[in-house]
């Protein structure tokens, strides 16, 4: 990839700078903010409400405002070299109506600052019968309303990146599987497989038996994003990358990893049970979130897997935490491993290493 493809009038390249993270109190946005801080960036967050005490101590410079307010967003982006668009409408309400205007505000701010605009991508963009593994140039023919909106978002970004050099906007999209991690926000792992706040007695498996599923450990996703941002001068104006993450070949391997981690921590082995999709169908007419989950069930009925060859060509390798370690960090962060058990486990591990 040649730096000649990058708009010449973009902010001069440097490995660190100031980033505005939209959605910094959420799962992927929060993790990207933490990884940027660790890499030496100054990070701003835009938030409708005052930050909590923990958020105030995070190192993020919180600004009062709403991503739906274009003027507030552009003001918050002053002097930024990076804008991370990891935000959704409040409560996911009026999603179809508000998502594109929010993105346009981010595009306008990125143009004004000559900044790189980073978007976490989704697999919703692809049809169930798309050729596997999915590559960055695989045609995007989504079967769902939500997927069609995601495709439209990426079309807007591609147009913004190809506009005349006097209004540049470099775009970076990183697409990964279902998120899990210590602070995952809304995710299948924390809302479907287990119940946070206590050791799980059972793990629900959403996949049709024997059907594989792709997972992505949030810290690995964020590390990948930051590594690509650090190399943005080498990337074209519009660059998209797929992550391989963790491939669960039969739909049971994530559940079995949870079982292993629980036993390793001296806790009872949870049972593996099929996810109650029948109950989802009954309740979906009354709750928008359940309707969306039902709409995406096809992702659990056939394998959807991505190829990360392009990513490895740029980074050399994809950041990858071993599955059991990633699951242990996730369960600990979700309050599913009692502190005493976690301390005992680390003491035992330290003794074995010694």
């Amino acid at each position: 990839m040649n730096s000649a493809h990058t708009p010449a009038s973009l902010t001069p390249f440097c490995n660190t700078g100031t980033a505005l993270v939209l959605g910094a109190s959420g799962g992927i946005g929060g993790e990207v903010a933490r990884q940027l801080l660790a890499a030496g960036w100054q990070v701003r967050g835009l938030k409708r409400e005052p930050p909590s005490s923990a958020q105030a101590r995070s190192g993020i410079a919180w600004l009062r405002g709403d991503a739906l307010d274009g003027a507030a967003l552009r003001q918050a982006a002053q002097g930024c070299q990076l804008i991370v668009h990891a935000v959704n409408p409040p409560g996911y309400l009026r999603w179809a109506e508000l998502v594109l205007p929010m993105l346009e505000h981010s595009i306008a701010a990125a143009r004004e600052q000559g900044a790189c605009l980073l978007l976490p991508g989704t697999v919703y963009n692809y049809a169930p019968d798309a050729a596997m593994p999915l590559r960055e140039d695989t045609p995007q023919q989504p079967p769902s309303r939500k997927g069609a909106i995601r495709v439209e978002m990426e079309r807007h970004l591609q147009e913004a990146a190809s506009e005349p050099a006097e209004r540049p906007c470099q775009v970076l999209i990183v697409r990964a599987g279902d998120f899990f991690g210590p602070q995952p926000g809304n995710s299948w792992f924390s809302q479907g497989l287990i119940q946070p706040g206590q050791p799980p007695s059972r793990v629900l498996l959403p996949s049709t038996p024997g059907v594989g599923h792709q997972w992505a450990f949030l810290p690995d996703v964020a590390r990948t994003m930051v590594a690509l941002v650090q190399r943005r001068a080498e990337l074209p104006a519009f660059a998209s990358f797929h992550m391989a993450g963790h491939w669960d070949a039969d739909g049971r391997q994530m559940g079995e990893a949870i079982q292993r981690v629980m036993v390793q921590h001296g806790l009872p082995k949870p049972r593996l049970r099929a996810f109650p999709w029948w109950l989802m169908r009954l309740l979906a007419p009354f709750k928008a979130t359940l309707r969306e989950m039902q709409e995406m069930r096809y992702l659990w009925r056939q394998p959807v897997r991505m190829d990360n060859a392009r990513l490895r060509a740029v980074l050399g390798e994809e950041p990858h935490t071993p599955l059991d370690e990633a699951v242990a960090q996730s369960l600990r962060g979700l309050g599913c491993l009692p502190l005493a058990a976690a301390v005992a486990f680390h003491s035992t591990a330290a003794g074995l290493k010694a």
Side-chain angles (χ1 to χ4, degrees):
M1 293 185 180
N2 195 313
S3 60
H5 294 286
T6 302
S9 52
L10 283 171
T11 300
F13 173 78
C14 59
N15 277 332
T16 59
T18 302
L20 173 63
V21 180
L22 305 175
S25 57
I28 181 60
E31 193 60 53
V32 173
R34 286 187 285 275
Q35 298 286 347
L36 285 168
L37 286 167
W41 285 72
Q42 294 180 345
V43 177
R44 300 174 188 166
L46 193 64
K47 192 171 174 60
R48 290 182 295 272
E49 304 295 335
S52 67
S53 57
Q55 290 170 341
R57 297 191 303 269
S58 65
I60 297 172
W62 293 99
L63 305 173
R64 194 75 174 268
D66 194 317
L68 288 166
D69 183 342
L73 197 159
R74 291 195 302 275
Q75 179 63 34
Q78 290 292 317
C80 287
Q81 290 76 45
L82 173 67
I83 299 173
V84 181
H85 189 91
V87 66
N88 286 296
Y92 290 85
L93 299 175
R94 299 168 62 199
W95 203 85
E97 178 185 346
L98 298 177
V99 163
L100 287 173
M102 292 173 74
L103 181 66
E104 287 299 331
H105 294 330
S106 290
I107 290 173
R111 283 176 179 148
E112 286 185 6
Q113 302 304 316
C116 176
L117 181 53
L118 168 62
L119 177 77
T122 71
V123 296
Y124 308 155
N125 303 49
Y126 299 99
D129 58 356
M132 298 294 160
L134 297 171
R135 296 181 173 85
E136 289 81 359
D137 58 357
T138 299
Q140 297 188 3
Q141 299 170 330
S144 68
R145 175 184 57 88
K146 192 171 182 178
I149 294 171
R150 296 293 306 199
V151 171
E152 187 67 8
M153 289 174 69
E154 294 191 18
R155 186 183 68 79
H156 281 226
L157 288 169
Q158 192 155 18
E159 288 178 356
S162 62
E163 288 180 350
E166 63 269 15
R167 302 183 69 194
C169 178
Q170 185 177 17
V171 172
L172 175 60
I173 298 174
V174 179
R175 201 180 316 279
D178 262 315
F179 293 153
F180 71 107
Q183 300 179 60
N186 297 317
S187 75
W188 266 100
F189 186 95
S190 61
Q191 296 178 301
L193 272 66
I194 62 168
Q195 181 176 348
Q198 60 187 15
S201 61
R202 65 176 185 175
V203 180
L204 300 179
L205 305 179
S207 286
T208 298
V211 172
H213 192 77
Q214 191 161 352
W215 294 91
F217 185 50
L218 267 177
D220 289 341
V221 177
R223 276 191 285 271
T224 299
M225 290 177 169
V226 172
L228 288 168
V229 166
Q230 307 286 52
R231 291 165 172 77
R232 64 193 182 280
E234 306 164 17
L235 301 177
F238 181 86
S240 179
F241 296 92
H242 288 181
M243 291 186 66
H246 289 277
W247 176 244
D248 180 339
D250 61 5
R252 293 177 58 88
Q253 292 176 358
M254 179 61 81
E256 290 168 352
I258 294 172
Q259 287 182 319
R260 287 194 301 273
V261 169
M262 298 301 293
V263 171
Q264 288 167 359
H265 284 73
L267 297 167
K269 182 179 180 179
R271 303 182 303 277
L272 302 184
R273 294 287 184 266
F275 185 83
W277 286 105
W278 61 271
L279 182 60
M280 296 276 289
R281 286 195 301 273
L282 291 177
L283 298 177
F286 310 103
K287 194 169 178 62
T289 302
L290 298 183
R291 287 197 296 273
E292 288 195 359
M293 292 172 72
Q294 186 71 23
E295 186 181 33
M296 299 300 166
R297 187 180 178 183
Y298 75 94
L299 295 171
W300 301 96
R301 284 177 156 166
Q302 61 264 331
V304 178
R305 190 174 190 180
M306 288 181 284
D307 183 292
N308 71 344
R310 179 180 291 182
L311 177 67
R312 288 186 286 108
V314 173
L315 298 185
E317 61 180 3
E318 177 182 313
H320 187 82
T321 303
L323 181 59
D324 284 16
E325 180 182 338
V327 167
Q329 290 184 36
S330 302
L331 292 174
R332 192 172 301 115
L334 292 168
C336 298
L337 295 178
L339 181 60
V343 171
F345 173 76
H346 282 300
S347 297
T348 302
L352 289 174
K353 289 181 181 178

